[in-house]
Structures are given as C-alpha cells and as structure tokens.
Amino acid sequence: MDNNRRPDNMARITTKELAEAFIAEQIELVRKQVGDKKVLLALSGGVDSSVVAALLIKAIGKQLVCVHVNHGLMRKDESENVIKLFEGELDANLIYVDATDRFLGLLENVSEPEKKRKIIGAEFINVFAEEARKLDDIDYLAQGTIYPDILESIKQAEGKKAVKSHHNVGGLPEDLKFELVEPIKLLFKDEVRVVGEALGLPHAMVYRQPFPGPGLGVRCLGAITRDRLHALREADAILREEFDKNGLAGKVWQYFVVIPDIKSVGVKDDSRYEGWPAIIRAVNTKDAMTATIEEIPYALLHHLTYRITHEVEGINRVLLDLTPKPIGTIEWE
Ligand code: XMP
C-alpha cells in the first residue's frame, strides 16, 4: 500500500473523540517507529508544526528536540509566544536560534521576489542543518507535512508548474540523513485543527491565520530594510489586534499589512513628512487557490488608518487592497 495516499475509507476527523482516537493511534505508531531514539523538529509556531510538536511531546517527551529558527521575519511577539508555550507550558526540549542578522544580511539590496524567497528558504535550511549537526545522536526528523502538501507534490511530479516557490523544510544536505516522522501527513487542515485542540493547544494558535514560510519578507516589498520591516511588524500587530477586538479574526481567512518600497509626501506637525503607505489586505478563501475580498466596515478602516499613521513611525498613508485572486495572488510577492 502507498502510505502517502489517504485510504478511501478513512473517516474525516471532525470531533474530539475521533481526534483522541487518532492521537492514541499515532502515539503508538511513533513510539514503535522511533523507540528510544531522538527526533528533531523545526518548530515554526505554525499550526502544523505545533500540532506535530504537541503530539510528539505526548508520545516521546524529551526525546523530541524542537528547533525554532527566528529568521527576523516573524510577526510581533511570535517567537516569544512559541517559547512561552512550548518551553514554558509544554516543557519541550527547545532550541531557540535568533538568526535575524544572518537573514537580513543576506537579503540586503535583494529586491527580486523569487530571489528573496530562495535566499530565505536556503538559509533556513543552512541554519537548521547547523543546529542538527551540533546534535550528534539524532536519527529522525519530524515534519508537519499535511495531505495538501502531498497532493501538491504529486501535482508537481506530474509536471504542473507552481506559481511561487513555497518553502518548507525539506532538501536537507546529503550528510544529514534522517528517517522521517510525519504523523499528520494524511490529514486535511481542518482535521489538523481538531487534533490540535484535542491535544490541548490554545484555540488562537490552532485557528490562527496562515503565515507564509518567508514571513514578513514577502510583505516588506522589494529590498528589505530594518526600518520598513519594523514599521510593517508594528502596523500588522495593530491590524491583528483590531480584527481580534472587532470579531473579524475568526471570520476572515487571512489579513495582513504589506508595505511597498515607495514613499509619498505627507505633513506632520506642520512639516513635510515623507512616509510609506501601509496596504491592508483581508481575504477569504477555501483552499488558497482563489480568494475573495472581505469587506471591512468603514468605521474600522478609519480607526485603523488613524492608529497606524499615528502609532507607527514612517507610515503616512493607509490603503486597502480590493484585488481578488485571481488576478492578484494572496501575498504580494
Ligand atoms: P499566494 O500568495 O500564492 O498564497 O496566493 C496562497 C497561500 O499560501 C501562503 N503562502 C505560503 N505558505 N510557504 C507557506 O507555507 C510559503 O512560502 C508561502 N507563500 C505563500 C499565503 O500566505 C496564502 O495563504
């Protein structure tokens, strides 16, 4: 049997009971697979890797070694929250690597979107591989592969072209040969969330909006600079806070801020004030292949404009992106 194909008779995991049965089964399988050996996991803090981490902590405790790489393109407080939850609450064996300077150094003056993606993806593997080499007794690599990833690889193997080079850990260097542990590879995203909640992960983490591997790097358009990246992080935090407060967070699939590499003239305290525009994008979709625009109440848009332009240094305009997918992709790069 091809164990990368979901069996036709596999029941959809929709309830806590079904999730618990799945978890119990996977715990057994993982224990049988790895014995007393150690397992490495790149823990980004996204839903998939977090669910795998929580599942493996239950199955093998400290035999799981999580590596969280902060590439400097995370959202506000994101790495801190990963550490708080996994190290603080779940007692995970967690290695934190702040690689901000490495990534931002490599990205300096690089404005071509695919080149940026490739640099971020490759450097992620470099940093992760360096950490893996420091640990000499690891035999297994756990991954948060889910069924849509497998379907996507099948599609690509059949010769269909991807629109963007998405990055996930994979393609580790030759000297690092691990056997894979992929406990959620036959699950769809909605099932991963049900399993995550059954594992006791916080609702906000399990239902959080998707965040691309290259992070804010694909939203700080063109060549990334630290000041514009900082402005983006702050503006994005305001948008997320207001969506949470106004009941939109659970309703809108993905919402974020983009900052292009252009400045316009403004006025502040009676003086000329050149600044970047913050672009708000809020979309709904089922599968990310197409997307529609979520309407944001005008009062909230005015409030967001006020807060972002008054609280974030360097932003003097707020714009709204009304473009569906297609023609625009969800991310700008
Ligand atoms: P696009 O921009 O292609 O995005 O319409 C579709 C969805 O994929 C997310 N995205 C990524 N996810 N790694 C990921 O794991 C990536 O490199 C990546 N790039 C885009 C995007 O946020 C949207 O949800």
Side-chain angles (χ1 to χ4, degrees), residues 279-292:
I279 302 166
I280 294 175
R281 183 143 177 80
V283 300
N284 267 321
T285 174
K286 280 204 163 56
D287 55 8
M289 300 302 288
T290 62
T292 54

Side-chain angles (χ1 to χ4, degrees), residues 55-102:
L55 183 62
L56 294 191
I57 289 168
K58 269 217 158 78
I60 55 170
K62 299 263 174 171
Q63 282 167 251
L64 174 72
V65 183
C66 301
V67 177
H68 176 70
V69 177
N70 178 358
H71 50 22
L73 303 164
M74 308 292 272
R75 288 170 293 186
K76 193 170 178 176
D77 298 332
E78 206 160 21
S79 286
E80 291 79 356
N81 289 337
V82 170
I83 296 170
K84 227 193 287 172
L85 176 64
F86 285 95
E87 204 170 56
E89 289 177 34
L90 300 178
D91 199 23
N93 204 346
L94 176 70
I95 297 170
Y96 171 68
V97 189
D98 183 354
T100 302
D101 290 341
R102 282 178 66 160

Side-chain angles (χ1 to χ4, degrees), residues 48 117 149 163-168 209-215 218-219 253-254 256 281 283 285 287-291 325 328-333:
D48 306 333
R117 279 179 170 272
D149 300 332
V163 178
K164 295 177 188 176
S165 50
H166 282 202
H167 96 257
N168 289 311
Q209 56 168 323
F211 187 59
V218 292
R219 298 177 182 171
W253 199 76
Q254 204 170 8
F256 52 88
R281 183 143 177 80
V283 300
T285 174
D287 55 8
M289 300 302 288
T290 62
K325 175 180 180 178
T329 50
I330 294 176
E331 304 291 346
W332 274 51
E333 288 188 341

